[in-house]
């Protein structure tokens, strides 16, 4: 008996005398978990805790029963097979600027010669290059979109844009109606765009997917930002957290969902540090101006802006990736604010000095740095995922987003 391990299994029901909201609140407090994670836990029967001794399993049984969850204890089958060694696999980008320059310049020339028609093929070639040169655990990513599908979406998006411009010039009332309607179309565009990108991305021949809902997209696109304005931007960290949760929790690798584990408190800490930085540089610049040193004040203000810019570029990306899990696997991101600012500024300067010709090297340089700072903590291996059914989806959502400048991303 002492060598056996046990699991505490949830039966998918709550005990008499409890309601759903009460049980969810109790489990949130017990596990210190997010509401989204508890809701997924209660959505089906599952093992809540594994690898327990009999005494520990009894303790969990008692606490979960008191919280209102209908649970039971069972002997864990083949415990040796269920325990996994952890392995840190670093992301690697192997592309080179000179190599990508050939693809980039040909894409531009053919797009011009075909009056933009080749842009769909250019998009696929660009993505295939960056995906194919990004490796994780000795395997490359794949980009599988069909250029014809993208071209159809762009033509429809262009037709919609032309119709809007024509209506705006001829009938102001129709343009207003069009604009109001577009508000309700925007969440659909967001979800379709994210799903098109995900489902045409693959790793080890398993496609990604995105299953975010229209209502969730509407909340993060309009409701939360409006509430933030009404609260004088005090909800900005919460809005960012809701956006990250929408993207992460809606994403899938095969049939396995990703999950954002960060609490709202972590987002407020990030913005709190930023406010302290702003206050420090503002005070220093003010004191310099009072001392009649305007040049020094300008330098302090410039350094402060760049410091804040790098802090958010690196900080938001690190927070999102470090808080995202895929089953038992997790991610690590160690982007440095100073390095991000240096790469961004030096890339921008070189692109200007070369009249844009340095752009391929700039993109490769940033991709290589981001990859070098990103890794995955693999529990066991990545061979156990089950590929979701290969489903084709229209590119219209993504291309409408491009046509109307609707962009949506975590970082």
């Amino acid at each position: 008996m002492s060598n056996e391990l046990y699991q505490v299994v949830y039966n998918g029901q709550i005990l008499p005398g409890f309601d759903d909201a009460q049980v969810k609140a109790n489990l949130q407090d017990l596990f210190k978990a997010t509401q989204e994670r508890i809701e997924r836990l209660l959505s089906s029967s599952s093992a809540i805790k594994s690898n327990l001794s009999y005494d520990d399993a009894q303790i969990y049984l008692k606490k979960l029963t008191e919280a209102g969850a209908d649970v039971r204890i069972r002997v864990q089958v083949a415990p040796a097979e269920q325990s996994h060694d952890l392995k840190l696999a670093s992301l690697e980008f192997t592309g080179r600027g000179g190599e990508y320059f050939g693809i980039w310049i040909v894409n531009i020339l053919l797009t011009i010669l075909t009056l933009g028609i080749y842009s769909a093929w250019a998009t696929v070639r660009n993505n295939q290059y960056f995906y194919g040169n990004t490796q994780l655990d000795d395997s490359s990513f794949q980009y599988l979109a069909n250029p014809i599908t993208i071209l159809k979406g762009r033509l429809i998006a262009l037709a919609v844009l032309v119709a809007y411009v024509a209506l705006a010039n001829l009938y102001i009332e129709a343009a207003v109606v069009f604009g109001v309607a577009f508000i309700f179309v925007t969440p659909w565009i967001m979800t379709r765009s994210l799903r098109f990108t995900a489902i045409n991305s693959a790793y080890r021949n398993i496609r990604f997917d995105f299953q975010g809902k229209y209502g969730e997209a509407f909340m993060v696109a309009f409701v939360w930002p409006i509430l933030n304005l009404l609260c004088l931007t005090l909800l900005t960290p919460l809005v960012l957290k809701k956006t990250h949760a929408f993207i992460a929790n809606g994403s899938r690798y095969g049939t396995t969902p990703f999950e954002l584990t960060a609490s709202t408190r972590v987002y407020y800490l990030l913005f709190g540090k930023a406010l302290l930085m702003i206050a420090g540089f503002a005070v220093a610049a003010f004191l310099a101006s009072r001392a009649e040193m305007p040049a020094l004040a300008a330098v302090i203000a410039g350094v402060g802006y760049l410091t804040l810019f790098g802090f958010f570029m690196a900080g938001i990306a690190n927070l999102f990736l470090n808080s995202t899990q895929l089953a038992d696997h997790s991610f690590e991101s160690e982007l440095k604010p100073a390095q991000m600012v240096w790469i961004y500024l030096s890339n921008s300067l070189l692109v200007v000095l070369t009249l844009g010709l340095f752009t391929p090297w700039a993109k490769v340089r940033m991709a290589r740095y981001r990859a070098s700072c990103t890794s995955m903590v693999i529990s066991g291996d990545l061979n156990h995922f089950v590929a979701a059914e290969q489903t084709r989806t229209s590119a219209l959502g993504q291309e409408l987003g491009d046509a109307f400048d609707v962009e949506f991303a975590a970082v």
Side-chain angles (χ1 to χ4, degrees), residues 376-398:
M376 184 175 186
V377 181
I378 301 174
S379 177
D381 59 58
L382 298 175
N383 297 322
H384 64 281
F385 289 100
V386 179
E389 180 183 357
Q390 293 188 356
T391 306
R392 281 184 288 181
T393 184
S394 169
L396 176 57
Q398 185 186 47

Side-chain angles (χ1 to χ4, degrees), residues 158-176:
L158 179 61
V160 173
L161 181 59
V162 170
Y164 171 74
V165 173
L167 285 173
N169 290 328
L170 296 175
Y171 308 102
I172 189 65
E173 296 85 0
V176 171

Side-chain angles (χ1 to χ4, degrees), residues 124-140:
V124 171
R125 289 189 69 196
N126 278 332
N127 287 337
Q128 285 178 342
Y129 181 81
F130 280 92
Y131 277 56
N133 282 285
T134 303
Q135 296 185 351
L136 175 67
D137 198 27
D138 298 324
S139 296
S140 298

